């Protein structure tokens, strides 16, 4: 059994790395091949210069993500092959000889080490790559303050979730996955409610969208969908980046639609209204609720697998680690990442279907021209890739490629 286990993990590790790299290189080649000419569908909307900026930005991001992917894969291998996880675990037993805090400290230490090793990557991404294309607006102060706040939140939530997890592992060894699944689900539910109202405001300012010319259109749209009209906000995204976006989040009274100020500055009123209608479409179709059910389904499978794994000491010994509670949690998280990778195309497809539904909703209530023009502006402002490799997109795109979204609406006029 032991050789089988290590062989299986090796095969999963290799396969994921190879497929990820292959996908990135496919998209990179597509961008390079079409760089010299604006794709026919966009010839009336983008200059060659804009298209080439998007291609160059896309290629730079892909190169970055390829290097990052290999780094993470080798980091994972290094943890196991060098015995680093065992050594850390043993050291913590000496310094924190407590049945619950020791495993928690192991999980926290692994996350902290990975976070510190990831820091140069984030710094490079923000202050070199994004800056080279004119997108960065973050200062080092804001950057590190963000990290610090993130670390505090992570510690708080990590303890709130991790402590009962480990207690359950002691008290109901074979079935700890069930109570922890319940705790985890309640936590996720709570987060949907707390995130928009309490946590996101720690990082950004949110002010109600005030536009008298839009006010009527907005209240008509949101009331039609049974939504409180107070829930449309503008976020000061320009504090960090000039990338624009809009999203819908939250449940119950915490439901809100958020516009990045960077997007709003670029849109005319009818375009803003169309984007708003798209977000209301997500609400009207119940996409957040559906997402919650899907995530409950996936986490149930994940927790059952984790419970099974925790009883299989032989697998841990085969991987060269001892099955202490902390190690079980760390290995389960790593294996989860390896096993869930093939699910990405299914989840992306599901999400893209929702985007088409929200687009249709917006077109029926506002105008295809407004939405189409807003999408074009969004791509122009973000240097979004106009060229896509179909397999790369199928795997990674949560939103349909721009050409497909425009093809599905009566804009621009089709001949
Ligand atoms: Zn959407």
């Amino acid at each position: 059994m032991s050789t089988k286990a290590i062989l299986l993990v090796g095969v999963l590790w290799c396969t994921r790395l190879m497929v990820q790299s292959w996908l990135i290189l496919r998209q990179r080649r597509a961008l390079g091949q079409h760089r010299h000419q604006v794709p026919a569908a966009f010839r009336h909307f983008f200059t060659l210069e804009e298209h080439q900026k998007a291609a160059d930005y896309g290629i730079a991001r892909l190169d970055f993500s390829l290097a990052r992917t290999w780094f993470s894969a080798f980091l994972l291998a290094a943890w196991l092959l060098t015995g680093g996880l065992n050594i850390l675990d043993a050291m913590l037993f000496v310094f924190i000889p407590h049945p619950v805090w020791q495993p928690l400290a192991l999980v926290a230490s692994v996350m902290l080490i990975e976070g510190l090793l990831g820091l140069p990557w984030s710094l490079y991404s923000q202050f070199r790559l994004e800056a080279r294309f004119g997108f960065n607006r973050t200062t080092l102060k804001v950057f590190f303050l963000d990290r610090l706040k993130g670390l505090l939140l992570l510690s708080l939530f990590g303890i709130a979730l991790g402590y009962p997890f480990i207690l359950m592992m002691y008290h109901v060894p074979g079935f700890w996955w069930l109570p922890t699944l319940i705790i985890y689900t309640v936590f996720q539910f709570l987060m949907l409610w707390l995130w928009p109202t309490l946590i996101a405001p720690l990082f950004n300012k949110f002010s109600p969208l005030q536009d008298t010319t839009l006010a009527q259109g907005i209240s008509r749209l949101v009331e039609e969908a049974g939504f409180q009209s107070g829930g449309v906000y503008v976020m000061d995204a320009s504090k960090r980046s000039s990338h624009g976006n809009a999203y819908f989040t939250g449940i119950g009274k915490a439901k809100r639609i958020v516009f990045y100020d960077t997007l709003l500055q670029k849109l005319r009123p009818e375009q803003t209204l169309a984007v708003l209608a798209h977000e209301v479409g997500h609400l009207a179709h119940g996409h957040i609720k559906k997402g919650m059910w899907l995530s409950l389904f996936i986490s149930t499978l994940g927790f059952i697998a984790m419970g099974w794994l925790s009883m299989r000491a032989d697998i841990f010994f085969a991987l060269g680690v001892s099955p202490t509670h902390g190690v079980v949690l760390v290995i389960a998280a790593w294996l989860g990442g390896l096993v869930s990778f093939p699910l990405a195309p299914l989840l992306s497809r599901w999400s893209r279907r929702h985007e088409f539904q929200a687009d249709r909703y917006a077109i029926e209530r506002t105008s295809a021209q407004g939405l189409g023009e807003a999408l074009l502006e969004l791509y122009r402002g973000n240097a979004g890739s106009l060229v896509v490799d179909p397999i790369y997109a199928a795997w990674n795109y949560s939103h349909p490629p721009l050409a497909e979204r425009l093809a599905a609406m009566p804009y621009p006029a089709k001949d």
Side-chain angles (χ1 to χ4, degrees), residues 208-219:
L209 173 64
Q210 278 165 343
D211 188 326
T212 42
T213 55
L214 277 177
Q216 243 188 340
I218 292 174
S219 39

Side-chain angles (χ1 to χ4, degrees), residues 45-93:
F45 304 109
F46 290 87
T47 65
L48 183 62
E49 200 188 337
E50 284 170 335
H51 167 60
Q52 290 187 333
K53 181 188 172 186
D56 294 342
Y57 177 62
I59 288 172
R61 286 239 65 102
L62 289 166
D63 287 344
F64 177 81
S65 87
L66 186 64
R68 187 85 176 82
T69 301
W70 278 73
F71 176 76
S72 306
F74 277 101
L75 188 62
L76 176 62
W79 273 113
L80 295 173
L81 297 178
T82 61
L85 189 61
N86 265 343
I87 298 169
L88 192 63
D89 195 33
M91 257 165 50
L92 289 168
F93 266 119

Side-chain angles (χ1 to χ4, degrees), residues 6 92-93 111 178 188 194 244 255 281 306 333 348 359 373:
I6 197 135
L92 289 168
F93 266 119
M111 284 170 84
L178 183 61
Q188 271 201 321
L194 291 182
K255 276 198 291 268
M306 205 151 66
S348 298
D359 277 356
E373 285 174 352

Side-chain angles (χ1 to χ4, degrees), residues 278-279 282 355 399:
H278 169 99
E279 301 305 333
H282 282 305
E355 292 307 322
H399 287 61

Side-chain angles (χ1 to χ4, degrees), residues 250-324:
I251 47 167
K253 283 200 168 137
K255 276 198 291 268
R256 52 178 65 187
I257 289 166
V258 175
F259 277 91
Y260 285 21
D261 56 352
T262 41
L263 176 63
L264 214 52
Q265 285 153 10
K266 289 178 188 133
L267 298 186
R268 290 201 312 273
E270 66 272 25
Q271 297 166 347
T272 308
L273 206 60
V275 173
L276 185 83
H278 169 99
E279 301 305 333
V280 172
H282 282 305
L283 169 80
H285 283 287
H287 289 163
I288 290 237
K289 256 185 229 145
K290 287 178 187 162
M292 272 167 52
W293 284 112
L294 180 72
S295 119
L296 178 64
F297 176 68
I298 292 175
S299 31
T300 305
L301 295 182
F303 275 74
I304 292 175
M306 205 151 66
W308 171 82
L309 182 75
S310 69
M311 301 306 282
R312 294 294 305 265
D314 55 328
I315 295 179
F316 289 89
F317 290 126
L319 294 172
V321 291
S322 324
T324 60

Side-chain angles (χ1 to χ4, degrees), residues 149-167:
K149 287 182 210 166
L151 188 67
L152 290 174
L153 284 172
L154 200 65
S155 315
L156 190 72
F157 297 144
I159 292 170
L161 269 182
Y163 203 97
F165 272 36
I166 292 161
L167 272 187

